[in-house]
């Protein structure tokens, strides 16, 4: 990393690289984390990808059906789009076996949140691979909780003020936050914050290894939960990201 350019609000504390002993300790740490079952298997990874692909198709179908309900021509209804984004531990790349996937469903302006919850819930009920379906529309961040082919999913929705949702939509553009309701802001910011953390760390593999370790350490000591006053997943990720900025190499 150049001494004239750094990530974060202050320059790094040290630009030193790890020596061979420290690299050996990092390898031992990785082996320990694997022995603790903190990494998913290849079969689990493929299952998650298939599930996310099916959910993406479901979101597009919901937008299509709601668009027809609002009297849009079928040709225009098909072009309204819809897209999913992941966030949380799955997007950060630090999820373990059996962890849930936080999924944001982005829909165009004419698809109201109530429409989405009603239509999506009915479609999910009709799928044999979906179990434990529990819509919570009145939560601080409205969510649909479910299991899809054995994978736990927390599904939120963001309604953007635009008529269509293109496949190349990026949430990093601050303009997408204009005029959207408070619930959508909370939902969309989950994905935006996760992506921003990854953008601001100097070495993503090192960040992920450190965060996996810190999360295990915190959970073993029962200090991992924002609901009881401790750091939650995002707070721990931000703290680890800051340390990575201060020791980038």
């Amino acid at each position: 990393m150049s001494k004239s350019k750094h990530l974060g609000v202050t320059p790094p504390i040290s630009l030193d690289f790890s020596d061979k002993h420290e690299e050996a300790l990092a390898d031992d740490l990785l082996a320990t984390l694997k022995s603790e079952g903190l990494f998913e298997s290849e079969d689990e990874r493929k299952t998650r990808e298939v599930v996310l692909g099916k959910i993406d198709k479901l979101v597009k179908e919901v937008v299509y059906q709601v668009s027809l309900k609002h009297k849009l021509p079928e040709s225009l209804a098909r072009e309204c789009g819809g897209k999913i984004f992941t966030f949380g531990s799955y997007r950060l790349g630090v999820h373990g076996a059996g962890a849930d996937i936080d999924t944001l469903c982005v829909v165009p302006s004419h698809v109201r949140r109530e429409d989405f919850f009603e239509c999506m819930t009915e479609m999910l009920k009709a799928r044999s691979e979906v179990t434990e379906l529990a819509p919570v529309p009145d939560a601080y961040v409205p969510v649909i909780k479910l299991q899809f082919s054995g994978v736990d999913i927390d599904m939120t929705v963001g309604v953007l003020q635009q008529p269509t949702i293109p496949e190349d939509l990026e949430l990093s553009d601050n303009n997408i936050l204009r005029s959207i309701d408070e619930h959508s802001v909370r939902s969309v910011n989950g994905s935006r914050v996760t992506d921003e953390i990854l953008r601001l760390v100097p070495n993503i593999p090192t960040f992920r290894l450190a965060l996996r370790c810190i999360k295990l350490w915190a959970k073993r000591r029962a200090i991992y939960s924002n609901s009881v006053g401790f750091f939650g997943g995002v707070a721990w990720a931000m703290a680890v990201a800051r340390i990575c900025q201060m020791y980038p190499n």
Side-chain angles (χ1 to χ4, degrees):
M1 175 172 289
S2 170
K3 292 184 178 180
S4 61
K5 184 179 180 181
H6 61 266
L7 297 170
V9 295
T10 60
I13 291 176
S14 173
L15 293 173
D16 292 344
F17 288 84
S18 300
D19 58 31
K20 290 184 178 180
H21 175 66
E22 291 167 334
E23 291 175 354
L25 290 175
D27 291 338
D28 289 343
L29 175 61
L30 178 59
T32 298
L33 294 178
K34 288 181 176 180
S35 70
E36 293 289 340
L38 297 188
F39 292 84
E40 65 181 351
S41 68
E42 183 65 15
D43 287 343
E44 286 178 303
R45 183 189 66 78
K46 290 179 179 178
T47 298
R48 289 171 185 268
E49 290 180 354
V50 170
V51 167
L52 289 173
K54 291 180 178 180
I55 290 175
D56 187 62
K57 290 180 180 178
L58 277 173
V59 170
K60 289 177 171 60
E61 183 63 23
V62 167
V63 172
Y64 171 69
Q65 294 295 340
V66 174
S67 298
L68 293 179
K69 181 180 175 182
H70 285 283
K71 309 301 182 183
L72 268 68
E74 183 174 356
S75 59
L76 291 179
R78 282 294 180 195
E79 294 177 1
C80 289
K83 186 175 180 181
I84 67 168
F85 296 85
T86 59
F87 60 101
S89 62
Y90 183 82
R91 176 69 183 96
L92 287 172
V94 296
H95 59 289
D100 63 0
I101 304 178
D102 295 310
T103 308
L104 167 67
C105 307
V106 177
V107 298
S109 56
H110 61 274
V111 180
R112 300 179 305 165
R113 179 170 291 98
E114 296 80 7
D115 294 330
F116 180 86
F117 267 72
E118 179 182 351
C119 189
M120 178 59 82
T121 300
E122 289 305 312
M123 285 188 179
L124 290 170
K125 284 180 179 178
R127 311 262 323 198
S128 60
E129 62 264 63
V130 173
T131 59
E132 299 185 22
L133 180 61
V136 192
D138 298 323
Y140 182 72
V141 179
V143 63
I144 300 176
K145 293 178 173 291
L146 65 141
Q147 272 198 356
F148 201 119
S149 298
V151 178
D152 289 317
I153 302 289
D154 283 356
M155 184 185 297
T156 61
V157 59
V159 182
L160 303 189
Q161 292 304 306
Q162 52 192 65
T164 62
I165 303 299
E167 279 298 316
D168 60 354
L169 175 72
E170 296 290 341
L171 298 181
S172 56
D173 184 0
N174 290 331
N175 290 324
I176 68 170
L177 298 178
R178 291 180 178 176
S179 303
I180 68 175
D181 64 86
E182 189 174 347
H183 288 306
S184 291
V185 170
R186 293 177 191 145
S187 298
V188 170
N189 273 344
S191 181
R192 282 165 53 87
V193 167
T194 304
D195 286 348
E196 190 71 359
I197 290 173
L198 290 174
R199 187 181 69 82
L200 290 173
V201 294
N203 185 310
I204 291 177
T206 297
F207 164 74
R208 286 173 171 164
L209 176 60
L211 182 55
R212 284 183 185 273
C213 178
I214 292 297
K215 288 178 67 172
L216 177 63
W217 171 85
K219 288 177 180 179
R220 289 285 174 86
R221 285 154 181 77
I223 55 173
Y224 185 98
S225 176
N226 53 17
S227 62
V228 293
F230 298 110
F231 276 12
V234 174
W236 282 117
M238 292 172 65
V240 172
R242 181 60 183 137
I243 296 300
C244 288
Q245 289 177 344
M246 292 191 289
Y247 299 89
N249 297 325

